């Protein structure tokens, strides 16, 4: 079973603080609240990108990408995006002297970008209709890492990651309690078990074999 199935299953047996539910809570917590378990595999072209932030914006019909962001003003922010087909991406210049040009795109997509260099305050929008992987860059700053990628739709290679992604409440994943409570419950159960064992060892035997220790 995959992780989501595991979480649902674990959530379903959430009667007591069992090891399984504790593990599920920990897994959900490690995922930053979950949600980001699956993400597109972005091309090596954007490996060294300035910025580097990834954002899953599927479900938003309009998305903004800042052009010339970051302390060095050579980042696209977010750098890597996941959107649904038909999403309009507005590129918003936040510093001067940049353009947006496709480096690679799905066959037939026909995205031409915006070649003229523009300054802060300029915006340019494009609606991505064709599914697949797009990479793009700013010509003056490509060598400084001013590159980005946009994955459109479900027809892209994906990977499962243990962290990052959006903020999603664990309850949305079928785990009907907060991971913190699982952790606390686990500790309480461990203490109770230890105490039980302790008293069992200390008094349990003498109670049944009366007089043995006295
Ligand atoms: Cu630039």
């Amino acid at each position: 079973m995959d992780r989501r199935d595991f979480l649902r299953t674990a959530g379903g047996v959430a009667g007591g603080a069992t090891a399984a539910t504790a593990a599920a809570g920990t897994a959900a917590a490690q995922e930053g609240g979950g949600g980001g378990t699956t993400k597109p595999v972005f091309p090596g072209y954007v490996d060294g990108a300035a910025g580097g932030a990834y954002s899953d914006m599927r479900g938003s019909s309009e998305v903004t990408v800042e052009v010339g962001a970051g302390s060095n003003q050579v980042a696209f922010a977010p750098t890597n995006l996941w959107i649904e087909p038909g999403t309009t991406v507005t590129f918003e210049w936040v510093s001067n002297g940049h353009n947006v040009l496709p480096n690679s795109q799905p066959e037939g997509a026909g995205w031409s970008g915006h070649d003229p260099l523009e300054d802060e305050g300029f915006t340019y929008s494009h609606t991505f209709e064709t599914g697949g992987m797009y990479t793009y860059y700013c010509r003056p700053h490509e060598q400084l890492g001013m590159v980005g990628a946009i994955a459109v739709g479900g027809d892209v290679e994906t990977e499962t990651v243990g962290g990052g992604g959006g903020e999603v409440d664990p309850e949305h994943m079928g785990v009907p309690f907060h991971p913190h409570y699982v952790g606390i419950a686990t500790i309480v159960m461990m203490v109770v078990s230890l105490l039980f064992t302790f008293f069992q060892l200390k008094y349990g035997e003498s109670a049944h074999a009366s007089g043995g220790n006295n």
Side-chain angles (χ1 to χ4, degrees):
M1 67 176 68
D2 66 29
R3 181 173 243 167
R4 276 169 194 275
D5 286 338
F6 171 70
L7 289 176
R8 282 200 195 89
T9 306
V13 296
T18 64
T21 53
T26 304
Q30 284 172 347
E31 285 165 13
T37 52
T38 301
K39 63 176 282 193
V41 176
F42 290 102
Y45 178 70
V46 294
D47 276 355
Y54 160 68
S55 185
D56 182 353
M57 296 299 284
R58 294 174 298 163
S60 297
S61 59
E62 296 188 355
V63 175
T64 298
V65 173
E66 292 185 344
V67 178
S71 54
N72 294 332
Q73 302 186 330
V74 292
F76 291 106
T79 305
N80 297 327
L81 260 183
W82 197 3
I83 59 175
E84 295 286 3
T87 301
T88 298
V89 175
T90 297
F91 294 88
E92 183 179 319
W93 273 243
V94 296
S95 60
N96 298 341
H98 307 286
N99 61 5
V100 175
L101 294 169
N103 169 69
S104 65
Q105 59 185 305
E107 201 175 326
W111 181 37
S112 54
H114 184 86
D115 198 356
L117 298 179
E118 305 289 356
D119 292 337
E120 183 177 358
F122 185 81
T123 60
Y124 147 73
S125 296
H126 178 75
T127 300
F128 290 83
E129 302 283 4
T130 304
M133 182 63 71
Y134 298 69
T135 60
Y136 62 95
Y137 65 101
C138 164
R139 184 183 289 124
H141 305 120
E142 181 185 19
Q143 296 308 317
L144 298 176
M146 193 161 175
V147 297
I150 301 176
V152 179
D155 191 19
V156 293
E157 187 186 348
T158 60
E159 61 184 345
T160 301
V161 292
E167 286 289 322
V168 176
D169 194 293
E171 288 178 16
H172 295 165
M173 300 177 68
V175 182
F177 43 73
H178 196 279
H180 288 171
Y181 297 147
V182 179
I184 291 167
T186 304
I187 291 167
V188 168
M189 288 300 286
M190 284 172 62
V191 171
V192 167
S193 302
L194 284 170
L195 286 173
F196 181 80
T197 306
F198 175 75
F199 283 105
Q200 186 82 4
L201 287 171
K202 189 174 171 77
Y203 301 112
E205 195 158 291
S206 61
H208 294 290
S210 66
N213 291 339
N214 296 333

